[in-house]
Amino acid sequence: MPAVDDSRVLVAALTRDDAAVYRISDDRALVATLDFFTPIVDDPYTFGAIAAANALSDLYAMGATPLFALNIVAWPRDPEILALVGDAIRGGADKMIEAGAFILGGHSIEDREPKLGMVAVGEVRPDELLTNAGARPGDRLVLTKPIGTGILATALKRGAVTEQEMAEAIRSMLTLNAGALAAARASGGVHALTDVTGFGLLGHLHTMLAASGVGARIHAELVPVFPGVREQITAGAVPGGTVRNVAAAASFTAWPEGVDDAMRTLLCDAQTSGGLLMAVDRDAASDLLARLHETGTPAAVEIGEVTAAGDPPLEIVDDIP
Ligand code: CO
Ligand code: CO
């Protein structure tokens, strides 16, 4: 994409941040993001609500407050499947209302496979903007949701798990990252923030490290994982995006001696509506974790620390500190 040089553009595509940010006055900026995908669960209402939580997540990851959204709908004309689109749209609309925002319009086309998502628009004070740049050596890395939704969704499509069995992952995908952002703000010590989605935990961490000019160490055994994920990796339920993420991670990650493929797959699993990944000042880390617990985020775990830039920038260790 061509670079943009305009003082009103505070964040553009070049830094691979979570959303675009456009200043409209000295103390206000618009934040916009777009996300859509194929059904991740069978229940259409739940799919719509997850799509909304996922789209809003990129606003929270910039420190923004959601304002409104527009639907993007691609859906088959087959009467049996068409009958489900209303529930999917209702699920998205209800989740937007929970976030204090509204769906105000959208666009639909016919497609062979259902797809649903949103353009989400929010606002932020320019001096309160949180980006993926700003992590400093010594910062603690905190994650607010377990990982493994890509693997579980693939297992669901294969009939290897039921929605019942992945209920904890579904509850997590339905959880707005609003509470996690509020905890980050209240702690006052968060230097960098992003959300974990399609590029997986390591991919999004690497983007943060590159934007901040630092490295990191992750304690693999501390990373929270949804129940049943390890078994499904062994059974081969690995989505294509996760396989590509594992290949990409090889160029920026040092793995511990004798690490198995399952661990690489797990840490690179493509997430939907994943948690926030925060680099927090070491002196503010315990206060942040306490606030996250209080808010009831699906996880609140310190998984590693920021280091000086190294080659490769990211080191995975299998000890427990
Ligand atoms: Co994001
Ligand atoms: Co996104």
Side-chain angles (χ1 to χ4, degrees), residues 18 58 61 194-195 197 204:
D18 296 294
D58 278 327
T194 193
D195 63 336
T197 50
H204 290 281

Side-chain angles (χ1 to χ4, degrees), residues 16-288:
R16 295 178 61 202
D17 220 312
D18 296 294
V21 184
Y22 187 96
R23 185 173 53 77
I24 48 174
S25 70
D26 284 347
D27 59 356
R28 300 184 85 184
L30 278 179
V31 184
T33 180
L34 184 164
D35 249 299
F36 66 99
F37 46 85
T38 56
I40 185 159
V41 292
D42 295 330
D43 178 62
Y45 181 90
T46 305
F47 169 46
I50 290 172
N54 181 74
L56 289 168
S57 178
D58 278 327
L59 297 184
Y60 295 125
M62 303 303 293
T65 304
L67 297 174
F68 66 92
L70 305 171
N71 278 330
I72 303 147
V73 184
W75 215 268
R77 284 220 164 267
D78 176 326
E80 241 175 77
I81 304 175
L82 192 59
L84 306 174
V85 72
D87 277 345
I89 288 172
R90 203 162 47 81
D94 285 350
K95 187 54 72 178
M96 283 290 163
I97 289 167
E98 183 188 327
F102 318 95
I103 290 179
L104 298 181
H107 184 74
S108 60
I109 61 164
E110 186 185 348
D111 199 351
R112 266 197 307 244
E113 191 178 12
K115 298 172 188 77
L116 174 64
M118 290 102 192
V119 171
V121 177
E123 72 170 316
V124 67
R125 289 183 52 100
D127 58 354
E128 292 184 347
L129 188 60
L130 290 163
T131 70
N132 58 18
R136 305 171 197 171
D139 282 356
R140 301 312 188 215
L141 291 165
V142 170
L143 182 64
T144 70
K145 290 184 181 180
I147 59 171
T149 64
I151 286 149
L152 289 177
T154 301
L156 181 71
K157 280 186 187 132
R158 291 172 158 206
V161 296
T162 62
E163 284 188 11
Q164 215 73 33
E165 286 165 333
M166 61 179 284
E168 190 181 327
I170 291 174
R171 260 200 310 279
S172 174
M173 289 189 282
L174 286 168
T175 302
L176 294 170
N177 281 330
L181 171 62
R185 281 233 184 277
S187 91
V190 173
H191 297 147
L193 190 68
T194 193
D195 63 336
V196 178
T197 50
F199 296 116
L201 174 63
L202 299 194
H204 290 281
L205 172 59
H206 177 239
T207 302
M208 179 189 279
L209 301 180
S212 305
V214 293
R217 186 181 310 114
I218 293 294
H219 302 273
E221 303 299 331
L222 296 184
V223 176
V225 183
F226 290 114
V229 172
R230 291 172 201 278
E231 292 85 330
Q232 290 307 325
I233 294 175
T234 309
V238 180
T242 298
V243 174
R244 289 189 290 277
N245 289 344
V246 172
S251 70
F252 56 77
T253 308
W255 294 96
E257 201 74 32
V259 67
D260 61 350
D261 284 350
M263 180 59 86
R264 292 175 204 254
T265 300
L266 179 61
L267 295 183
C268 294
D269 185 38
Q271 301 302 286
T272 296
S273 193
L276 295 183
L277 174 65
M278 310 176 183
V280 59
D281 196 286
R282 56 158 28 128
D283 295 329
S286 60
D287 175 69
L288 171 65

